[in-house]
Amino acid sequence: MDIWQILMTPFSWLLKLFCQVFNSYGIALFLFTIVVKIVLFPLNLKGKKSTIKTTVLNGQLQEIQKRCGNDRERYNQEVQKFYAENNANPMGGCGWSFLPIVFLYPLYAIIRRPLKYMMWLTEDAVKAVAKALGWADFTPVGYNELTLGAMMTAENLETAKAAAGASAASLFVINFDFFGIDLSQIPQLKFWEGGVTWNSVGLFLLPLISAGLSIVTMLVTQKTNQMNKDQQVKMSPMLMLMSPAISLWIGFAMPAGLCIYWIANSLLGMVQEVICGAMLRKDYEAAQLEMAEQQRKAKEAEKERRRKAAEKKAAAIAAGKSGKKQPQPKKKGVDVSASREGLRTYARGRAYDPNRYPVTPYRDPNGPAQPVEEEPKELTEEDKKLLAESNPQLMAQAEAAEQAAKDDASPEEEGYEEAYADENEEQ
């Protein structure tokens, strides 16, 4: 007995027990799935609680992102500290959903090699049984051992036991027939080749049923998850197609027994989601209240930030630093005064400009960032509304300063551009 046989003993023993008690491979797989679901239910419930907690904490994570800005290193440190303080795991709700897939590997190995893992035969004993049943060139590759297990019947069981030798007591007949479908065979896309029978049609339908139930299970999960229901969260199309795609691949690439496991897993998964939704109703309600409180605080904080920005802008305008630019005369034509050299009008060239390349003061790239004073703009309607609630006196001063800045623009300055253009044309 090798290490893999030892590790798979609990699974193989359970599947063998169900096969012998109920004399049906399909029923044994269905009961095997029920046991797996029952064992994993506490872990699945814990994962859902972790998902609820993570959803609630996402609002606070957004605040951390705003605080850290583009500093990714600081953001990662803050997030790790945040999860440690709140005893939360961002992947806590995702890992448990993949556990049924993890159980596929030992189950696949047991289905592929039933004589080795369910009946604990050695390689030599398996070859001896195959030779006794008329398969002289047998090799334990692919699904040959599964086919050999299907060849064992009540009539030739004694012959197989005689060939198995010391392991004869563990041999038994596996009934692969499940409602007229042979679960030891692999479903084929071209099911009509070789004649249309209920077995070929049934094998073809099993992967389709499995994929359809995967979609229904995801929809039930969304319905029973109150967080998704209230927030109207929808799964992405890629995520919706992933599970059915896995089901189809398993269905048409492996023996039909795995389809039975996948179908049973989907059916029991729907029942599990309904039970979890009922058990976690109070957790969902508490999380919704907490998220509503977070949204209220976030709105108040944003309103306070805008109010302070409006007060700062109004104070700058009232102090005479209005952001409204005064009208500047725009010159048309070419100014040749800078290109003149003595009496030669274009000695330096028609487009010569002594200020084309201004001197830029040196700034240390490794030094502290220099604050850039943004020129204040005019007060918006939202700013005025916020100031009217918090500081109406400051708003009145800012409006008076804006009006004074508008009054300073004289008609002579506004018509300066046209006059200067006419003068250039005359020259």
Side-chain angles (χ1 to χ4, degrees), residues 334-354:
V334 180
D335 184 7
V336 299
S337 59
S339 66
R340 182 183 294 279
E341 182 70 25
L343 298 176
R344 293 175 295 173
T345 307
Y346 298 112
R348 296 190 180 94
R350 184 184 294 270
Y352 176 75
D353 182 4

Side-chain angles (χ1 to χ4, degrees), residues 247-407:
S247 301
L248 286 175
W249 175 73
I250 290 174
F252 285 107
M254 301 180 186
L258 287 174
C259 268
I260 298 298
Y261 167 78
W262 205 252
I263 290 172
N265 184 71
S266 297
L267 291 173
L268 296 172
M270 286 186 271
V271 177
Q272 178 180 269
E273 289 299 327
V274 174
I275 295 174
C276 288
M279 294 179 65
L280 298 175
R281 184 170 300 170
K282 292 183 178 180
D283 297 82
Y284 284 131
E285 292 174 356
Q288 290 158 8
L289 292 175
E290 189 172 349
M291 291 181 66
E293 180 66 16
Q294 287 182 5
Q295 291 176 0
R296 185 188 65 80
K297 290 181 179 179
K299 288 181 181 179
E300 289 182 355
E302 178 65 18
K303 184 177 179 180
E304 180 67 16
R305 185 192 65 79
R306 289 190 309 225
R307 183 190 65 78
K308 289 181 178 180
E311 287 184 352
K312 183 179 179 180
K313 189 189 300 183
I317 294 174
K321 299 179 181 179
S322 173
K324 182 175 176 62
K325 294 183 178 181
Q326 300 296 332
Q328 298 293 331
K330 295 183 180 179
K331 299 179 181 180
K332 279 190 175 183
V334 180
D335 184 7
V336 299
S337 59
S339 66
R340 182 183 294 279
E341 182 70 25
L343 298 176
R344 293 175 295 173
T345 307
Y346 298 112
R348 296 190 180 94
R350 184 184 294 270
Y352 176 75
D353 182 4
N355 298 318
R356 176 174 296 173
Y357 304 106
V359 178
T360 304
Y362 173 76
R363 184 180 69 84
D364 185 3
N366 298 322
Q370 299 294 328
V372 180
E373 295 185 2
E374 294 185 358
E375 191 177 5
K377 300 178 181 180
E378 295 182 357
L379 293 174
T380 63
E381 292 298 325
E382 184 180 2
D383 294 337
K384 292 179 180 179
K385 184 178 179 181
L386 291 171
L387 287 172
E389 297 176 358
S390 60
N391 198 335
Q393 183 179 0
L394 181 60
M395 186 185 71
Q397 293 176 0
E399 288 180 341
E402 283 185 341
Q403 186 61 39
K406 291 179 181 179
D407 294 341

Side-chain angles (χ1 to χ4, degrees), residues 14-84:
L14 186 64
L15 193 59
K16 179 180 179 180
L17 176 65
F18 289 144
C19 283
Q20 291 179 329
V21 172
F22 296 95
N23 191 30
S24 174
Y25 196 58
I27 295 176
L29 289 171
F30 197 92
L31 295 175
F32 177 86
T33 311
I34 292 177
V35 173
V36 170
K37 280 291 183 182
I38 293 174
V39 171
L40 297 181
F41 181 79
L43 301 178
N44 192 278
L45 191 65
K46 182 179 178 181
K48 286 188 174 295
K49 288 183 178 180
S50 180
T51 302
I52 295 172
K53 188 173 184 179
T54 303
T55 306
V56 173
L57 297 178
N58 280 340
Q60 300 178 40
L61 289 175
Q62 292 175 2
E63 293 297 324
I64 294 176
Q65 187 173 11
K66 290 179 182 178
R67 186 168 68 248
C68 297
N70 295 326
D71 191 346
R72 299 301 303 174
E73 184 177 357
R74 180 190 171 194
Y75 171 76
N76 292 333
Q77 293 175 354
E78 291 281 344
V79 168
Q80 290 178 2
K81 181 181 177 182
F82 175 76
Y83 279 131

Side-chain angles (χ1 to χ4, degrees), residues 190-217:
K190 299 179 180 180
F191 63 91
W192 56 86
E193 291 184 352
V196 177
T197 61
W198 166 240
N199 181 60
S200 62
V201 174
L203 288 171
F204 174 78
L205 291 176
L206 284 179
L208 301 182
I209 296 172
S210 176
L213 286 176
S214 298
I215 297 176
V216 175
T217 302

